[in-house]
Amino acid sequence: MFATRSSSPGALMAVQAPAMRPAVPGLALRERVAAAWKGHPRRVDAAIAGAVGLLVFAVYNATLTPSLSYVSPDGNELATTSYTLGLAHPTGYPLYTWLGKAFTFLPVGDVAHRVNLLSAVGASGACVLLYAICRELALPRAVAAFGALFFGFSTTTWSQATISEVYAPNLFFVALALYLMLLWGRRQRNPEVALHGDLGSTILFGAWAFTLAASTGTHMSNLGFLPGYGVYILMVNWRVLKQPLVLVPGLALFALGLMQFLWLPIRTVMGEPAPDPINPATFEGFLNYTINAFPQFKWAFPMELLPDRFILYATLVRWNFGLPGILVGFAGAAGLALRRPRTFILLALMWGVHTVFFMEYRAMDIDVFFIPAHFLFAVAIASGVWLVIRGIRRPLARVPAGGVIAGGLALLVLVLPVRAQLRYNYATHDQSDHTEINDFYENVYEMLPEGAVLLGSAGVFGYDMFYYQYVYDVRPDVTIPSAGLAFGQRASWPTDGRPRYSVDPSGAWPTRFRPSAEAGEWGIPVLVTPAHDRKLWLRRDLVLYRLSSTPPNLIDDEATPGIALNLSLDGVTLVGADLDTTTVRAGETVKLRLYWRFERFAQAGIILQVGEGDDSPIARRQPGAGLVERYDREVAPVRGHTVVEEFELVILSSTPRGVQPLTIRSAEEGATPLTVANLKVE
């Protein structure tokens, strides 16, 4: 009935062998992942940094400006000169120009779109380096990733990552130089290396020196970081001054990085026009074009205004990180001072010199100049967040399930601020449908008659107009007198009787930038392009004017509108309108005629809008083409008569396909729109 126990050794071993543990699905995989996580920390960090960079780049790319933009006053110039390898405004930005040229070979979008991608890549790369810097400061991976994402989605950085500008690529080189210096500093902890140096120390020091010097080709203000670096080098290892094998190659590479500025006189001698009256081919002009550029902007405020300027800076920091971010950053800075005093002094000196200099700098777009300071402060914020998480863990360490609770709270601390940055800043910086500048000028060059003359600003602010001729050689028969002129210079008209047009003769430009139309000419709007109601530098509208020495015929009492509107505007009535068609291809135009009756001259104006929603593009117009007061004064009374204006209205290429309402309303706040027609956009 019962089996007899075998006495053989093999049978005995079989009986005594422990039972095999059943395989748990996924356990082996988790163990391998855990082993890889512990055994290959650099690979793990590289993977996380790469994921952070790809995520940030994906968001930037989704919100990237399709082509030209007015978000920056310089962006259209930088996109154009990158393609032509021309001279940008002072300080010339050679490195940016060369990098931009490389990006113009990408097989996506148009040339300006490709240069916009340079900014997206530069800002994403800076976020990767922010992660690496946080890891170098011994912050946990999750905290380092938080710091990179929280900074990457901050408002000022994001605003510069979607357009052609120097600030995002410059930030990459600022971050790279800082990371290389921290790596060099870590290597000096080896007493033998600190005393005698080695090949690795020489390479890191030389790479740092070259990167810092090269970064002046994206922004000259990076030279202001030298005092901080100098103090750090002396604190970490003053003996480097006695190590010629480290110091001499570093100085040589620094000089090599600065030699990029020879590009400016070379291109000038080759005949490339400079967008500034300064001639960089002379020694004095070279200095004034580079290191002494914009003296009127530097140290522009007296000492008694310094508190006000600091309040301005603090406001900009709050816009980017919020008040909690500022408080956490202060705590993190204090923590860094205790844990890494030398690194803290380096970061503090870099931040302090940079911040004070630009608090004393007079510029329209002052917020973007503080981006490197925001980057340095983001390191402190990441350090402060780690202090917060540690503070959460300690009291929960002895609580049942305290580890789970602490982990959940830490996750909220890391995720919610990044989510808030994305939520609040995405819509603000989504430029992906901002095609108005390109749509405007494509229709301008199509509309202009053969041999026309087109007037606009010279220098930096004229490159929206120059772009198509310089890059794509569009309409070479059209003469642009301001092309090739220096910044602030006025163009003179050809006097051979050719048809004349202007993109803005109405005085919207500051005096020193204003086009010089002949006195007494009439600027008659013939092409109007709606624009997204965002920051458009130096102009409110995209309008093409036909210039004429004779007044237009505004009065037509026999005209009858096909669309009755009867919109009252404080003494002015928009009687009605006519459209030549209600079916239009996106990017093309419809001819719009408006009929007015004047009792007095209104100041409010009207707003034309294509599409629904607050973010739809709008065009602001003055009743009667903005000419009725002068017409009434110089030609004929308009009161009691029907005033008719007619122009082509551009339907943006980014307009959603399908039926879109064309509405008109008073420019006064809260006005109710009237629907002129429902357009079928194809």
Side-chain angles (χ1 to χ4, degrees):
M1 183 179 293
F2 298 99
T4 304
R5 179 181 296 179
S6 172
S7 60
S8 67
L12 183 61
M13 291 179 63
V15 171
Q16 293 177 341
M20 295 293 293
R21 185 171 59 182
V24 178
L27 181 61
L29 177 61
R30 288 199 298 271
E31 290 176 347
R32 288 198 298 270
V33 171
W37 186 276
K38 294 180 180 179
H40 303 282
R42 291 185 179 179
R43 294 181 184 178
V44 174
D45 280 327
I48 295 175
V52 166
L54 288 174
L55 174 60
V56 174
F57 176 78
V59 173
Y60 290 160
N61 188 53
T63 57
L64 196 74
T65 306
S67 185
L68 301 176
S69 171
Y70 288 141
V71 173
S72 163
D74 311 325
N76 299 331
E77 176 220 23
L78 292 168
T80 305
T81 55
S82 292
Y83 177 81
T84 63
L85 290 177
L87 292 181
H89 66 281
T91 58
Y93 309 103
L95 178 59
Y96 179 91
T97 301
W98 300 338
L99 291 173
K101 179 64 176 179
F103 270 73
T104 64
F105 292 105
L106 293 175
V108 292
D110 73 343
V111 165
H113 178 86
R114 299 166 195 171
V115 182
N116 293 343
L117 281 171
L118 171 59
S119 293
V121 170
S124 303
C127 292
V128 170
L129 288 166
L130 180 55
Y131 173 89
I133 289 168
C134 289
R135 291 293 292 146
E136 185 64 25
L137 298 179
L139 296 179
R141 293 186 175 99
V143 173
F146 159 82
L149 294 173
F150 187 65
F151 171 78
F153 298 140
S154 60
T155 184
T156 306
T157 301
W158 196 337
S159 74
Q160 299 303 298
T162 59
I163 59 173
S164 298
E165 251 299 357
V166 299
Y167 302 104
N170 177 65
L171 182 64
F172 172 79
F173 289 104
V174 170
L176 180 59
L178 175 59
Y179 182 57
L180 290 170
M181 177 51 67
L182 293 178
L183 292 180
W184 177 85
R186 171 155 57 94
R187 198 167 186 85
Q188 306 314 300
R189 298 174 193 168
N190 184 321
E192 186 67 22
V193 172
L195 189 60
H196 301 292
D198 69 345
L199 180 60
S201 181
T202 300
I203 291 174
L204 286 172
F205 192 84
W208 163 79
F210 179 77
T211 300
L212 181 62
S215 74
T216 60
T218 51
H219 213 275
M220 189 67 72
S221 65
N222 295 340
L223 290 176
F225 295 130
L226 277 173
Y229 282 125
V231 171
Y232 180 77
I233 290 169
L234 293 177
M235 288 190 303
V236 170
N237 184 14
W238 62 269
R239 295 180 183 85
V240 73
L241 300 178
K242 300 168 63 177
Q243 297 173 359
L245 293 180
V246 175
L247 191 62
V248 172
L251 293 175
L253 287 168
F254 189 84
L256 179 63
L258 293 179
M259 288 180 67
Q260 64 180 300
F261 287 96
L262 294 177
W263 170 261
L264 307 180
I266 290 173
R267 290 295 286 161
T268 302
V269 170
M270 292 173 64
E272 183 69 29
D276 193 280
I278 302 171
N279 179 10
T282 67
F283 180 73
E284 181 181 5
F286 178 80
L287 293 179
N288 290 335
Y289 207 94
T290 54
I291 196 71
N292 295 330
F294 302 116
Q296 71 275 23
F297 295 163
K298 299 173 182 175
W299 308 110
F301 301 96
M303 289 300 296
E304 56 265 25
L305 290 181
L306 196 57
D308 293 335
R309 300 297 293 175
F310 183 80
I311 291 173
L312 169 64
Y313 168 70
T315 302
L316 296 176
V317 177
R318 182 174 60 83
W319 285 355
N320 281 274
F321 304 126
L323 183 58
I326 294 175
L327 297 177
V328 170
F330 284 151
L336 274 177
L338 295 175
R339 291 192 305 112
R340 301 287 184 98
R342 294 172 181 174
T343 302
F344 168 77
I345 291 173
L346 167 62
L347 299 179
L349 286 174
M350 292 175 66
W351 174 86
V353 171
H354 188 84
T355 301
V356 170
F357 179 79
F358 283 114
M359 282 196 297
E360 280 286 323
Y361 197 77
R362 187 191 302 274
M364 297 179 292
D365 52 343
I366 191 61
D367 53 331
V368 300
F369 291 91
F370 289 110
I371 289 178
H374 296 335
F375 180 89
L376 298 171
F377 194 69
V379 176
I381 291 176
S383 177
V385 165
W386 176 226
L387 292 178
V388 171
I389 292 175
R390 291 171 62 188
I392 292 172
R393 285 180 174 177
R394 286 174 183 170
L396 294 174
R398 298 180 180 180
V399 175
V404 175
I405 297 173
L409 292 175
L411 185 64
L412 292 177
V413 169
L414 295 174
V415 171
L416 290 183
V418 174
R419 180 180 179 273
Q421 293 280 59
L422 270 171
R423 178 184 177 187
Y424 293 124
N425 293 328
Y426 193 99
T428 301
H429 300 300
D430 183 7
Q431 309 285 329
S432 59
D433 59 352
H434 288 208
T435 61
E436 49 262 35
I437 302 176
N438 296 73
D439 292 334
F440 173 64
Y441 279 103
E442 287 174 7
N443 280 280
V444 164
Y445 284 111
E446 183 175 338
M447 175 179 285
L448 291 176
E450 184 75 21
V453 179
L454 181 61
L455 185 65
S457 180
V460 171
F461 299 110
Y463 275 86
D464 54 346
M465 182 172 54
F466 308 152
Y467 173 78
Y468 279 96
Q469 282 202 345
Y470 282 8
V471 174
Y472 294 108
D473 197 29
V474 169
R475 294 295 303 272
D477 62 292
V478 173
T479 299
I480 303 178
S482 56
L485 294 183
F487 179 76
Q489 290 182 328
R490 293 184 177 224
S492 58
W493 283 109
T495 57
D496 53 7
R498 284 182 285 172
R500 297 168 297 171
Y501 292 79
S502 175
V503 293
D504 197 339
S506 62
W509 302 89
T511 302
R512 66 182 183 278
F513 307 140
R514 188 177 302 157
S516 52
E518 293 181 4
E521 285 197 307
W522 294 79
I524 305 164
V526 293
L527 181 71
V528 175
T529 301
H532 291 84
D533 196 19
R534 306 277 175 80
K535 179 168 63 177
L536 299 180
W537 279 98
L538 300 179
R539 65 170 74 211
R540 295 177 63 86
D541 303 297
L542 290 165
V543 180
L544 176 68
Y545 296 87
R546 178 175 61 85
L547 300 182
S548 174
S549 57
T550 59
N553 184 15
L554 294 181
I555 296 177
D556 186 354
D557 289 328
E558 297 181 359
T560 303
I563 304 170
L565 295 174
N566 294 315
L567 175 63
S568 179
L569 300 171
D570 187 26
V572 180
T573 300
L574 177 58
V575 179
D578 281 329
L579 286 170
D580 65 337
T581 181
T582 57
T583 301
V584 59
R585 296 176 65 89
E588 297 183 354
T589 65
V590 294
K591 182 174 291 185
L592 178 62
R593 177 178 290 186
L594 301 177
Y595 300 81
W596 302 92
R597 283 274 184 167
F598 288 84
E599 297 177 9
R600 58 179 179 271
F601 302 125
Q603 300 297 320
I606 60 169
I607 291 178
L608 292 165
Q609 181 170 329
V610 179
E612 297 177 317
D614 295 337
D615 198 42
S616 295
I618 63 173
R620 295 180 177 89
R621 306 298 309 134
Q622 288 297 316
L627 300 174
V628 288
E629 287 191 63
R630 180 183 175 189
Y631 194 93
D632 182 82
R633 185 174 61 251
E634 298 181 12
V635 181
V638 299
R639 293 175 177 84
H641 297 280
T642 300
V643 173
V644 181
E645 63 171 311
E646 182 179 277
F647 53 85
E648 299 282 343
L649 180 68
V650 176
I651 307 302
L652 300 188
S653 59
S654 57
T655 303
R657 305 309 186 258
V659 177
Q660 298 293 334
L662 169 61
T663 61
I664 191 168
R665 68 179 187 270
S666 169
E668 294 180 347
E669 188 174 354
T672 302
L674 293 178
T675 299
V676 177
N678 288 312
L679 302 179
K680 182 181 179 182
V681 182
E682 298 178 342

